[in-house]
Amino acid sequence: MAARLQGLMQDAGLSGHELAARCGWHKSKSSRIARGKTLPSDADIRAWCAACEADDHAADLIASSRNAELMYVEWRQIHRDGMRRVHEQTVPLYQRTRSFRVYASNVMPGMLQTPGYATGLLRSITAFQGTPDDVAEAVKARTQRSRVIREGDHRFALVLEEAVLYYRVSDDAAMAAQLEHVLTVMGQPNVSLGIIPARARRTVWPLEAFYAFDDQQVAVETLTAEINLTTPGEIRTYLRAFSELSRSAVRGAEARALITKALAALG
């Protein structure tokens, strides 16, 4: 935050004293903010942007400032007491979201996962992270959270890379049940499911998995952390990427054929 504000000041050709004067502050206040010693309020950010004639940056900066501590959270921290709690904590977010846009490049989206598939996946995550093993409780909590795909006024636009159909994060029986479940869910009127064929010509390269909740938040999943984006500019960028990825996906009979092919590959 300090670096971004300082960059605006430099772009405007202002010194710290000049910026403070334009904002009506004591000269030391701009210095404390620029050095990261003082967290600026929303009003401070608006005044700073106005002084730099960069009002269009204010909304993004305010969103970043409000969510700085929650933006980047390591999985080890999130799962320090196991995985059940985080699933329960995100239920309100899932319930209030009307439009879900999800891009999955590695595993099935959480709201599509069957208990068997989720058990295999969460057990692997627990072992890799070395966090407390509450897999059974976490699977139950994930299944409860996923009821939103069947209940309430929610719409789901889901885009999967074809490879997701083949990654065996659980045993063959659980994988088969998972793929059959996807075939069932994609028939729901509130679900649009697209699959990007491995050989598809694409305008956007494979990305990290991300979940967009309305146009208010995007959760990006990396190996080590969950990144929660709330700044309007970053959200627009991810929604644009989702739109472009969607163009490469097949749906309906073509998507079903790809899923059926993956099922047959299980033997």
Side-chain angles (χ1 to χ4, degrees), residues 56-112:
D56 55 325
H57 289 264
D60 275 3
L61 288 168
I62 288 170
S64 292
S65 179
R66 289 178 179 177
N67 295 281
E69 292 186 2
L70 299 176
M71 180 179 174
Y72 184 97
V73 187
E74 291 188 1
W75 291 118
R76 278 184 168 275
Q77 175 67 15
I78 295 173
H79 297 156
R80 64 187 183 278
D81 299 322
M83 288 183 281
R84 174 187 58 81
R85 186 168 57 89
V86 68
H87 287 87
E88 294 175 344
Q89 288 177 338
T90 51
V91 166
L93 172 62
Y94 276 64
Q95 290 180 337
R96 67 174 177 265
T97 299
R98 302 271 72 81
S99 175
F100 292 80
R101 279 161 285 192
V102 180
Y103 167 70
S105 56
N106 44 18
V107 297
M108 288 287 174
M111 66 278 295
L112 285 184

Side-chain angles (χ1 to χ4, degrees), residues 136-213:
E137 294 83 1
V139 168
K140 187 178 298 184
R142 173 167 288 196
T143 303
Q144 285 291 105
R145 188 184 66 181
S146 298
R147 291 170 59 181
V148 293
I149 204 165
R150 303 186 307 276
E151 302 174 358
D153 180 23
H154 309 280
R155 299 184 307 279
F156 296 84
L158 311 171
V159 174
L160 283 60
E161 296 285 351
E162 183 181 0
V164 171
L165 306 177
Y166 292 91
Y167 292 145
R168 300 193 180 188
V169 300
S170 58
D171 60 40
D172 287 359
M175 283 296 301
Q178 175 64 69
L179 294 173
E180 289 167 354
H181 178 66
V182 173
L183 286 170
T184 299
V185 172
M186 66 186 294
Q188 294 181 195
N190 66 325
V191 175
S192 169
L193 188 141
I195 299 174
I196 302 176
R199 296 179 61 82
R201 176 68 176 91
R202 53 203 305 156
T203 57
V204 174
W205 55 98
L207 302 174
E208 62 281 355
F210 63 86
Y211 291 65
F213 302 93

Side-chain angles (χ1 to χ4, degrees), residues 188-257:
Q188 294 181 195
N190 66 325
V191 175
S192 169
L193 188 141
I195 299 174
I196 302 176
R199 296 179 61 82
R201 176 68 176 91
R202 53 203 305 156
T203 57
V204 174
W205 55 98
L207 302 174
E208 62 281 355
F210 63 86
Y211 291 65
F213 302 93
D214 291 322
D215 58 355
Q216 302 300 309
Q217 177 179 335
V218 173
V220 183
E221 299 182 342
T222 73
L223 175 64
T224 56
E226 178 180 74
I227 304 171
N228 289 290
L229 306 174
T230 57
T231 57
E234 288 182 298
I235 290 173
R236 284 194 298 271
T237 298
Y238 270 92
L239 294 184
R240 178 188 170 199
F242 183 83
S243 179
E244 290 293 325
L245 288 162
S246 296
R247 296 178 193 275
S248 301
V250 297
R251 294 173 175 77
E254 290 181 88
R256 288 181 176 277

Side-chain angles (χ1 to χ4, degrees), residues 14-15 39 102 113 228 246:
L14 298 175
S15 68
L39 183 67
V102 180
Q113 292 176 13
N228 289 290
S246 296

